[in-house]
C-alpha cells in the first residue's frame, strides 16, 4: 500500500489541523483502488524519507536520483522545512489486487552478524508494486489544489520497495493447525491461553485500510473472551497484540 505525500508551501498553514483522527477522509479513484488522506503525527525521520515524485514501473528508469541531483537545494529545503508535520498530508493507497510481501528472518544488510526481520517477494504471486499511477495522480492533484509539492517515499522511488503501513498475516485464523495459527477465538492452536489479537490474524490484505477490520475483530475477541472468563474465572491468557 504505497503512500504518497504532499507538503504545503506555506510556513504558517493557518488553523491547527494536526489534532484529531489520523484518517480524515477516504475515496475510490477507481474500482480497484482505495485512498485515505491522513494527518501525519510521526517524528522528524519522515524528513529523510521523502523526495521528488516520479513515474514509472521500473525503479531504474524513474530518474529519482537524477531529479535529486538536478535540484539538491530543493531537497535540502524539504528536509529542513519549518512546521513540517503541520504542513504534511499523507495518502495511503491500497488496491484489491493479488500481490504479496513475505517477512523472513535473514542477515541484516547493515550488521550482517545479526539476523533481523526482512521483506521478500511472495512465492508464486506477483510482487507488491512500488509504483501506483493512481497514487501519483492523487498526490499531484491534491498538491495543485493546496499550492503544495507532491512527494514520493524514497524507498519506493529510488529503492523500488513497496511500503506498507499495515503488516497483515503471520498468525492467520484457521479451522485447525494445518490451515492457520489461531482458532476463531484468536487462541493459538496447541497453546491454550495464548491469543493473538492484531493485524497478524488477518490472512490477506482487504483492499482498504484494515484499521476498522482489526478493531472489529478485536472487539469480537474481547466480547467472547469476557464471556469465557465469566464461565471459567480461573482461566488466564497471554495476549499478543500490536
Amino acid at each position: 500500500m504505497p503512500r504518497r505525500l504532499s507538503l504545503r508551501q506555506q510556513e504558517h498553514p493557518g488553523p491547527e489541523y494536526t489534532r484529531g483522527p489520523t484518517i480524515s477522509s477516504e475515496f475510490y479513484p477507481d474500482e480497484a483502488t482505495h485512498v485515505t488522506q491522513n494527518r501525519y503525527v510521526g517524528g522528524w525521520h519522515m524528513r529523510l524519507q521523502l523526495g521528488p515524485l516520479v513515474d514509472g514501473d521500473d525503479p531504474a528508469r524513474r530518474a529519482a536520483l537524477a531529479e535529486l541531483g538536478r535540484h539538491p537545494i530543493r531537497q535540502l529545503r524539504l528536509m529542513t522545512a519549518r512546521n513540517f508535520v503541520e504542513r504534511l498530508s499523507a495518502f495511503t493507497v491500497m488496491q484489491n489486487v493479488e500481490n504479496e510481501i513475505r517477512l523472513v528472518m535473514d542477515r541484516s544488510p547493515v550488521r550482517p552478524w545479526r539476523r533481523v526481520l526482512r521483506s521478500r517477494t511472495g512465492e508464486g504471486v506477483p510482487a507488491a508494486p512500488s509504483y501506483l499511477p493512481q497514487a501519483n495522480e492523487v498526490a499531484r492533484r491534491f498538491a495543485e489544489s493546496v499550492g503544495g509539492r507532491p512527494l514520493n517515499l524514497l524507498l519506493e522511488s529510488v529503492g523500488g520497495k513497496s511500503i506498507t503501513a499495515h503488516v497483515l498475516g503471520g498468525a492467520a485464523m484457521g479451522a485447525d493447525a494445518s490451515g492457520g495459527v489461531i482458532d476463531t477465538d484468536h487462541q493459538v492452536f496447541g497453546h491454550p491461553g495464548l491469543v493473538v489479537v492484531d493485524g497478524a490474524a488477518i490472512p490477506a490484505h482487504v483492499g482498504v485500510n484494515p484499521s476498522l477490520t482489526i478493531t472489529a475483530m478485536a472487539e469480537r475477541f474481547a466480547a467472547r473472551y469476557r464471556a469465557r472468563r465469566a464461565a471459567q474465572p480461573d482461566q488466564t491468557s497471554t495476549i499478543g497484540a500490536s
Side-chain angles (χ1 to χ4, degrees), residues 175-231:
D176 52 44
S178 66
V181 176
I182 60 175
D183 62 20
T184 55
D185 288 324
H186 289 257
Q187 187 166 240
V188 176
F189 290 112
H191 298 275
L194 176 62
V195 298
V196 179
V197 189
D198 63 2
I202 301 176
H205 68 80
V206 292
V208 296
N209 191 306
S211 299
L212 293 180
T213 302
I214 296 171
T215 301
M217 292 179 67
E219 290 181 347
R220 174 184 174 277
F221 159 78
R224 294 168 70 93
Y225 178 75
R226 180 178 181 182
R228 290 199 310 274
R229 286 298 302 270

Side-chain angles (χ1 to χ4, degrees), residues 27 29 32-33 42 60 64 76 103 105 127 134 148-150 155 191 229 236:
F27 61 95
T33 308
L76 181 62
L103 296 178
M105 292 298 296
Q134 300 92 333
R149 176 185 169 192
L155 275 177
H191 298 275
R229 286 298 302 270
T236 59

Side-chain angles (χ1 to χ4, degrees), residues 34-235:
H34 181 253
V35 179
T36 58
Q37 181 184 0
N38 310 278
R39 307 173 192 267
Y40 181 72
V41 293
W44 61 269
H45 57 84
M46 183 59 78
R47 297 172 179 265
L48 307 179
Q49 299 182 45
L50 302 178
L53 186 126
V54 291
D55 295 300
D57 291 320
D58 184 356
R61 296 178 179 274
R62 289 179 194 158
L65 289 177
E67 187 71 14
L68 289 170
R70 284 194 295 266
H71 304 285
I73 301 302
R74 179 186 297 176
Q75 184 66 19
L76 181 62
R77 290 180 60 189
L78 169 65
M79 296 169 62
T80 59
R82 296 177 60 186
N83 302 315
F84 181 84
V85 172
E86 291 85 350
R87 298 163 61 194
L88 186 69
S89 290
F91 291 91
T92 305
V93 185
M94 296 142 285
Q95 292 186 320
N96 58 350
V97 296
E98 188 69 21
N99 53 61
E100 180 181 299
I101 299 175
R102 294 189 303 124
L103 296 178
V104 298
M105 292 298 296
D106 202 352
R107 294 185 183 278
S108 168
V110 179
R111 293 178 289 180
W113 59 89
R114 295 194 58 184
R115 293 178 67 83
V116 297
L117 197 63
R118 301 189 65 185
S119 63
R120 291 286 185 269
T121 301
E123 297 180 356
V125 296
S130 61
Y131 166 70
L132 294 176
Q134 300 92 333
N136 278 17
E137 182 66 15
V138 166
R140 286 192 173 98
R141 293 197 182 195
F142 178 81
E144 182 180 358
S145 70
V146 299
R149 176 185 169 192
L151 305 168
N152 279 150
L153 288 168
L154 291 172
L155 275 177
E156 291 179 344
S157 60
V158 177
K161 300 293 185 180
S162 180
I163 308 300
T164 178
H166 301 283
V167 179
L168 303 177
M173 188 178 292
D176 52 44
S178 66
V181 176
I182 60 175
D183 62 20
T184 55
D185 288 324
H186 289 257
Q187 187 166 240
V188 176
F189 290 112
H191 298 275
L194 176 62
V195 298
V196 179
V197 189
D198 63 2
I202 301 176
H205 68 80
V206 292
V208 296
N209 191 306
S211 299
L212 293 180
T213 302
I214 296 171
T215 301
M217 292 179 67
E219 290 181 347
R220 174 184 174 277
F221 159 78
R224 294 168 70 93
Y225 178 75
R226 180 178 181 182
R228 290 199 310 274
R229 286 298 302 270
Q232 301 174 343
D234 295 332
Q235 181 181 358

